[in-house]
PDB file of all heavy atoms in Angstrom:
ATOM      1  N   GLY A 120      28.087-167.977  47.320  1.00  0.00           N
ATOM      2  CA  GLY A 120      28.352-166.762  48.101  1.00  0.00           C
ATOM      3  C   GLY A 120      28.470-165.547  47.163  1.00  0.00           C
ATOM      4  O   GLY A 120      28.267-165.533  46.037  1.00  0.00           O
ATOM      5  N   TYR A 121      28.908-164.514  47.785  1.00  0.00           N
ATOM      6  CA  TYR A 121      29.123-163.200  47.025  1.00  0.00           C
ATOM      7  C   TYR A 121      30.551-162.785  46.865  1.00  0.00           C
ATOM      8  O   TYR A 121      30.951-161.775  46.478  1.00  0.00           O
ATOM      9  CB  TYR A 121      28.394-162.129  47.856  1.00  0.00           C
ATOM     10  CG  TYR A 121      26.879-162.271  47.617  1.00  0.00           C
ATOM     11  CD1 TYR A 121      26.153-163.123  48.311  1.00  0.00           C
ATOM     12  CD2 TYR A 121      26.238-161.422  46.692  1.00  0.00           C
ATOM     13  CE1 TYR A 121      24.842-163.201  48.109  1.00  0.00           C
ATOM     14  CE2 TYR A 121      24.779-161.519  46.451  1.00  0.00           C
ATOM     15  CZ  TYR A 121      24.075-162.448  47.189  1.00  0.00           C
ATOM     16  OH  TYR A 121      22.780-162.487  47.039  1.00  0.00           O
ATOM     17  N   ALA A 122      31.462-163.832  46.977  1.00  0.00           N
ATOM     18  CA  ALA A 122      32.963-163.383  46.731  1.00  0.00           C
ATOM     19  C   ALA A 122      33.119-163.121  45.325  1.00  0.00           C
ATOM     20  O   ALA A 122      32.781-163.995  44.459  1.00  0.00           O
ATOM     21  CB  ALA A 122      33.771-164.551  47.380  1.00  0.00           C
ATOM     22  N   PRO A 123      33.730-161.978  44.924  1.00  0.00           N
ATOM     23  CA  PRO A 123      33.912-161.772  43.567  1.00  0.00           C
ATOM     24  C   PRO A 123      35.020-162.643  43.003  1.00  0.00           C
ATOM     25  O   PRO A 123      35.910-163.043  43.701  1.00  0.00           O
ATOM     26  CB  PRO A 123      34.351-160.290  43.537  1.00  0.00           C
ATOM     27  CG  PRO A 123      34.846-160.010  44.815  1.00  0.00           C
ATOM     28  CD  PRO A 123      33.985-160.839  45.774  1.00  0.00           C
ATOM     29  N   PRO A 124      35.087-162.951  41.644  1.00  0.00           N
ATOM     30  CA  PRO A 124      36.165-163.811  41.136  1.00  0.00           C
ATOM     31  C   PRO A 124      37.460-163.284  41.178  1.00  0.00           C
ATOM     32  O   PRO A 124      37.612-162.033  41.134  1.00  0.00           O
ATOM     33  CB  PRO A 124      35.655-164.002  39.704  1.00  0.00           C
ATOM     34  CG  PRO A 124      34.855-162.759  39.426  1.00  0.00           C
ATOM     35  CD  PRO A 124      34.225-162.401  40.761  1.00  0.00           C
ATOM     36  N   MET A 125      38.507-164.091  41.056  1.00  0.00           N
ATOM     37  CA  MET A 125      39.886-163.610  41.160  1.00  0.00           C
ATOM     38  C   MET A 125      40.373-163.361  39.711  1.00  0.00           C
ATOM     39  O   MET A 125      40.948-164.130  38.990  1.00  0.00           O
ATOM     40  CB  MET A 125      40.724-164.682  41.626  1.00  0.00           C
ATOM     41  CG  MET A 125      40.508-165.029  43.167  1.00  0.00           C
ATOM     42  SD  MET A 125      41.016-163.692  44.168  1.00  0.00           S
ATOM     43  CE  MET A 125      42.804-163.911  44.184  1.00  0.00           C
ATOM     44  N   GLU A 126      39.678-162.308  39.165  1.00  0.00           N
ATOM     45  CA  GLU A 126      40.065-161.856  37.772  1.00  0.00           C
ATOM     46  C   GLU A 126      40.588-160.497  37.721  1.00  0.00           C
ATOM     47  O   GLU A 126      40.202-159.660  38.743  1.00  0.00           O
ATOM     48  CB  GLU A 126      38.790-161.928  36.784  1.00  0.00           C
ATOM     49  CG  GLU A 126      38.195-163.363  36.776  1.00  0.00           C
ATOM     50  CD  GLU A 126      36.971-163.397  35.780  1.00  0.00           C
ATOM     51  OE1 GLU A 126      36.777-162.377  35.210  1.00  0.00           O
ATOM     52  OE2 GLU A 126      36.179-164.356  35.972  1.00  0.00           O
ATOM     53  N   PRO A 127      41.350-160.099  36.753  1.00  0.00           N
ATOM     54  CA  PRO A 127      41.783-158.689  36.726  1.00  0.00           C
ATOM     55  C   PRO A 127      40.687-157.839  36.492  1.00  0.00           C
ATOM     56  O   PRO A 127      39.560-158.187  35.820  1.00  0.00           O
ATOM     57  CB  PRO A 127      42.737-158.676  35.429  1.00  0.00           C
ATOM     58  CG  PRO A 127      43.104-160.162  35.194  1.00  0.00           C
ATOM     59  CD  PRO A 127      41.894-160.960  35.695  1.00  0.00           C
ATOM     60  N   PHE A 128      40.718-156.659  37.089  1.00  0.00           N
ATOM     61  CA  PHE A 128      39.622-155.660  36.970  1.00  0.00           C
ATOM     62  C   PHE A 128      39.741-154.891  35.640  1.00  0.00           C
ATOM     63  O   PHE A 128      40.785-154.621  35.170  1.00  0.00           O
ATOM     64  CB  PHE A 128      39.851-154.539  38.155  1.00  0.00           C
ATOM     65  CG  PHE A 128      38.854-153.413  38.108  1.00  0.00           C
ATOM     66  CD1 PHE A 128      37.529-153.631  38.207  1.00  0.00           C
ATOM     67  CD2 PHE A 128      39.318-152.154  37.719  1.00  0.00           C
ATOM     68  CE1 PHE A 128      36.655-152.608  38.134  1.00  0.00           C
ATOM     69  CE2 PHE A 128      38.325-151.183  37.554  1.00  0.00           C
ATOM     70  CZ  PHE A 128      37.125-151.338  37.814  1.00  0.00           C
ATOM     71  N   ARG A 129      38.519-154.771  35.084  1.00  0.00           N
ATOM     72  CA  ARG A 129      38.554-154.044  33.755  1.00  0.00           C
ATOM     73  C   ARG A 129      37.172-153.314  33.628  1.00  0.00           C
ATOM     74  O   ARG A 129      36.261-153.664  34.324  1.00  0.00           O
ATOM     75  CB  ARG A 129      38.754-155.011  32.642  1.00  0.00           C
ATOM     76  CG  ARG A 129      37.505-155.920  32.413  1.00  0.00           C
ATOM     77  CD  ARG A 129      37.855-156.941  31.203  1.00  0.00           C
ATOM     78  NE  ARG A 129      36.727-157.932  30.998  1.00  0.00           N
ATOM     79  CZ  ARG A 129      36.620-158.982  31.655  1.00  0.00           C
ATOM     80  NH1 ARG A 129      37.300-159.305  32.538  1.00  0.00           N
ATOM     81  NH2 ARG A 129      35.522-159.728  31.373  1.00  0.00           N
ATOM     82  N   PHE A 130      37.156-152.305  32.936  1.00  0.00           N
ATOM     83  CA  PHE A 130      36.022-151.513  32.614  1.00  0.00           C
ATOM     84  C   PHE A 130      35.373-152.024  31.303  1.00  0.00           C
ATOM     85  O   PHE A 130      36.065-152.301  30.286  1.00  0.00           O
ATOM     86  CB  PHE A 130      36.246-150.001  32.434  1.00  0.00           C
ATOM     87  CG  PHE A 130      36.697-149.347  33.600  1.00  0.00           C
ATOM     88  CD1 PHE A 130      38.117-149.189  33.925  1.00  0.00           C
ATOM     89  CD2 PHE A 130      35.808-148.776  34.461  1.00  0.00           C
ATOM     90  CE1 PHE A 130      38.500-148.473  35.091  1.00  0.00           C
ATOM     91  CE2 PHE A 130      36.218-148.194  35.623  1.00  0.00           C
ATOM     92  CZ  PHE A 130      37.454-147.931  35.912  1.00  0.00           C
ATOM     93  N   ASP A 131      34.015-152.268  31.342  1.00  0.00           N
ATOM     94  CA  ASP A 131      33.272-152.583  30.287  1.00  0.00           C
ATOM     95  C   ASP A 131      31.993-151.768  30.135  1.00  0.00           C
ATOM     96  O   ASP A 131      31.426-151.343  31.112  1.00  0.00           O
ATOM     97  CB  ASP A 131      33.022-154.220  30.186  1.00  0.00           C
ATOM     98  CG  ASP A 131      34.118-155.081  29.984  1.00  0.00           C
ATOM     99  OD1 ASP A 131      35.029-154.574  29.283  1.00  0.00           O
ATOM    100  OD2 ASP A 131      33.964-156.218  30.350  1.00  0.00           O
ATOM    101  N   ALA A 132      31.564-151.785  28.807  1.00  0.00           N
ATOM    102  CA  ALA A 132      30.135-151.161  28.646  1.00  0.00           C
ATOM    103  C   ALA A 132      29.228-152.177  29.211  1.00  0.00           C
ATOM    104  O   ALA A 132      29.454-153.364  29.252  1.00  0.00           O
ATOM    105  CB  ALA A 132      30.000-151.005  27.172  1.00  0.00           C
ATOM    106  N   ALA A 133      28.100-151.686  29.647  1.00  0.00           N
ATOM    107  CA  ALA A 133      27.131-152.540  30.255  1.00  0.00           C
ATOM    108  C   ALA A 133      25.657-151.956  29.950  1.00  0.00           C
ATOM    109  O   ALA A 133      25.543-150.814  29.685  1.00  0.00           O
ATOM    110  CB  ALA A 133      27.278-152.605  31.742  1.00  0.00           C
ATOM    111  N   PRO A 134      24.653-152.847  30.062  1.00  0.00           N
ATOM    112  CA  PRO A 134      23.308-152.290  29.764  1.00  0.00           C
ATOM    113  C   PRO A 134      22.921-151.288  30.862  1.00  0.00           C
ATOM    114  O   PRO A 134      23.536-151.303  31.965  1.00  0.00           O
ATOM    115  CB  PRO A 134      22.423-153.664  29.880  1.00  0.00           C
ATOM    116  CG  PRO A 134      23.331-154.726  29.681  1.00  0.00           C
ATOM    117  CD  PRO A 134      24.678-154.301  30.133  1.00  0.00           C
ATOM    118  N   ARG A 135      21.959-150.392  30.580  1.00  0.00           N
ATOM    119  CA  ARG A 135      21.633-149.418  31.490  1.00  0.00           C
ATOM    120  C   ARG A 135      21.063-149.988  32.811  1.00  0.00           C
ATOM    121  O   ARG A 135      20.377-151.040  32.857  1.00  0.00           O
ATOM    122  CB  ARG A 135      20.414-148.639  30.825  1.00  0.00           C
ATOM    123  CG  ARG A 135      19.874-147.603  31.830  1.00  0.00           C
ATOM    124  CD  ARG A 135      19.383-146.380  31.110  1.00  0.00           C
ATOM    125  NE  ARG A 135      18.897-145.365  32.086  1.00  0.00           N
ATOM    126  CZ  ARG A 135      19.738-144.504  32.497  1.00  0.00           C
ATOM    127  NH1 ARG A 135      21.028-144.451  32.056  1.00  0.00           N
ATOM    128  NH2 ARG A 135      19.265-143.639  33.397  1.00  0.00           N
ATOM    129  N   GLY A 136      21.512-149.357  33.850  1.00  0.00           N
ATOM    130  CA  GLY A 136      21.072-149.871  35.219  1.00  0.00           C
ATOM    131  C   GLY A 136      21.848-150.984  35.738  1.00  0.00           C
ATOM    132  O   GLY A 136      21.678-151.396  36.947  1.00  0.00           O
ATOM    133  N   ARG A 137      22.836-151.474  35.003  1.00  0.00           N
ATOM    134  CA  ARG A 137      23.757-152.533  35.543  1.00  0.00           C
ATOM    135  C   ARG A 137      25.213-152.057  35.658  1.00  0.00           C
ATOM    136  O   ARG A 137      25.560-150.806  35.327  1.00  0.00           O
ATOM    137  CB  ARG A 137      23.791-153.636  34.471  1.00  0.00           C
ATOM    138  CG  ARG A 137      22.461-154.332  34.473  1.00  0.00           C
ATOM    139  CD  ARG A 137      22.364-155.630  33.646  1.00  0.00           C
ATOM    140  NE  ARG A 137      23.516-156.529  34.139  1.00  0.00           N
ATOM    141  CZ  ARG A 137      23.810-157.583  33.457  1.00  0.00           C
ATOM    142  NH1 ARG A 137      23.266-157.949  32.255  1.00  0.00           N
ATOM    143  NH2 ARG A 137      24.840-158.408  33.955  1.00  0.00           N
ATOM    144  N   SER A 138      26.113-152.866  36.147  1.00  0.00           N
ATOM    145  CA  SER A 138      27.417-152.501  36.563  1.00  0.00           C
ATOM    146  C   SER A 138      28.280-152.116  35.434  1.00  0.00           C
ATOM    147  O   SER A 138      28.114-152.712  34.389  1.00  0.00           O
ATOM    148  CB  SER A 138      28.052-153.520  37.291  1.00  0.00           C
ATOM    149  OG  SER A 138      29.441-153.356  37.516  1.00  0.00           O
ATOM    150  N   ILE A 139      29.103-151.054  35.635  1.00  0.00           N
ATOM    151  CA  ILE A 139      30.088-150.840  34.668  1.00  0.00           C
ATOM    152  C   ILE A 139      31.428-151.558  34.773  1.00  0.00           C
ATOM    153  O   ILE A 139      32.315-151.597  34.067  1.00  0.00           O
ATOM    154  CB  ILE A 139      30.530-149.337  34.636  1.00  0.00           C
ATOM    155  CG1 ILE A 139      31.160-149.028  35.992  1.00  0.00           C
ATOM    156  CG2 ILE A 139      29.364-148.452  34.376  1.00  0.00           C
ATOM    157  CD1 ILE A 139      31.716-147.571  36.048  1.00  0.00           C
ATOM    158  N   TYR A 140      31.353-152.398  35.874  1.00  0.00           N
ATOM    159  CA  TYR A 140      32.569-153.259  36.175  1.00  0.00           C
ATOM    160  C   TYR A 140      32.234-154.689  35.811  1.00  0.00           C
ATOM    161  O   TYR A 140      31.296-155.126  36.375  1.00  0.00           O
ATOM    162  CB  TYR A 140      32.951-153.063  37.609  1.00  0.00           C
ATOM    163  CG  TYR A 140      33.101-151.744  38.121  1.00  0.00           C
ATOM    164  CD1 TYR A 140      32.141-151.081  38.854  1.00  0.00           C
ATOM    165  CD2 TYR A 140      34.117-150.896  37.580  1.00  0.00           C
ATOM    166  CE1 TYR A 140      32.288-149.665  39.211  1.00  0.00           C
ATOM    167  CE2 TYR A 140      34.306-149.580  37.912  1.00  0.00           C
ATOM    168  CZ  TYR A 140      33.429-149.010  38.699  1.00  0.00           C
ATOM    169  OH  TYR A 140      33.564-147.712  39.121  1.00  0.00           O
ATOM    170  N   SER A 141      33.121-155.406  35.100  1.00  0.00           N
ATOM    171  CA  SER A 141      32.818-156.702  34.760  1.00  0.00           C
ATOM    172  C   SER A 141      33.444-157.768  35.723  1.00  0.00           C
ATOM    173  O   SER A 141      32.974-158.815  35.719  1.00  0.00           O
ATOM    174  CB  SER A 141      33.483-156.987  33.394  1.00  0.00           C
ATOM    175  OG  SER A 141      34.779-156.698  33.479  1.00  0.00           O
ATOM    176  N   ALA A 142      34.306-157.321  36.610  1.00  0.00           N
ATOM    177  CA  ALA A 142      35.016-158.309  37.562  1.00  0.00           C
ATOM    178  C   ALA A 142      35.566-157.573  38.633  1.00  0.00           C
ATOM    179  O   ALA A 142      35.782-156.423  38.530  1.00  0.00           O
ATOM    180  CB  ALA A 142      35.963-159.208  36.760  1.00  0.00           C
ATOM    181  N   ALA A 143      35.834-158.264  39.701  1.00  0.00           N
ATOM    182  CA  ALA A 143      36.544-157.682  40.848  1.00  0.00           C
ATOM    183  C   ALA A 143      37.489-158.691  41.299  1.00  0.00           C
ATOM    184  O   ALA A 143      37.311-159.904  41.253  1.00  0.00           O
ATOM    185  CB  ALA A 143      35.533-157.354  41.895  1.00  0.00           C
ATOM    186  N   ALA A 144      38.523-158.132  41.925  1.00  0.00           N
ATOM    187  CA  ALA A 144      39.575-158.994  42.660  1.00  0.00           C
ATOM    188  C   ALA A 144      39.326-159.113  44.033  1.00  0.00           C
ATOM    189  O   ALA A 144      38.425-158.413  44.603  1.00  0.00           O
ATOM    190  CB  ALA A 144      40.947-158.325  42.415  1.00  0.00           C
ATOM    191  N   SER A 145      40.047-159.980  44.779  1.00  0.00           N
ATOM    192  CA  SER A 145      39.866-160.167  46.142  1.00  0.00           C
ATOM    193  C   SER A 145      40.454-159.088  46.917  1.00  0.00           C
ATOM    194  O   SER A 145      41.226-158.385  46.527  1.00  0.00           O
ATOM    195  CB  SER A 145      40.487-161.581  46.497  1.00  0.00           C
ATOM    196  OG  SER A 145      41.843-161.322  46.633  1.00  0.00           O
ATOM    197  N   PRO A 146      40.016-158.845  48.157  1.00  0.00           N
ATOM    198  CA  PRO A 146      40.518-157.825  48.932  1.00  0.00           C
ATOM    199  C   PRO A 146      42.043-157.921  49.282  1.00  0.00           C
ATOM    200  O   PRO A 146      42.697-156.986  49.621  1.00  0.00           O
ATOM    201  CB  PRO A 146      39.757-157.832  50.247  1.00  0.00           C
ATOM    202  CG  PRO A 146      39.101-159.210  50.321  1.00  0.00           C
ATOM    203  CD  PRO A 146      39.003-159.661  48.915  1.00  0.00           C
ATOM    204  N   ALA A 147      42.462-159.201  49.143  1.00  0.00           N
ATOM    205  CA  ALA A 147      43.904-159.451  49.372  1.00  0.00           C
ATOM    206  C   ALA A 147      44.787-159.113  48.280  1.00  0.00           C
ATOM    207  O   ALA A 147      45.974-159.060  48.295  1.00  0.00           O
ATOM    208  CB  ALA A 147      44.244-160.917  49.804  1.00  0.00           C
TER     209      ALA A 147
END
């Protein structure tokens, strides 16, 4: 599915056209 992993949020560099976010936390 599309549930993001339970990892701390951080900013990372990313290739052009891709996300600047490397991970996401759960809505809870």
Side-chain angles (χ1 to χ4, degrees):
Y121 283 78
M125 297 287 289
E126 299 177 14
F128 174 69
R129 64 183 186 274
F130 290 96
D131 281 340
R135 175 152 184 87
R137 294 188 54 191
S138 167
I139 62 173
Y140 306 108
S141 61
S145 74

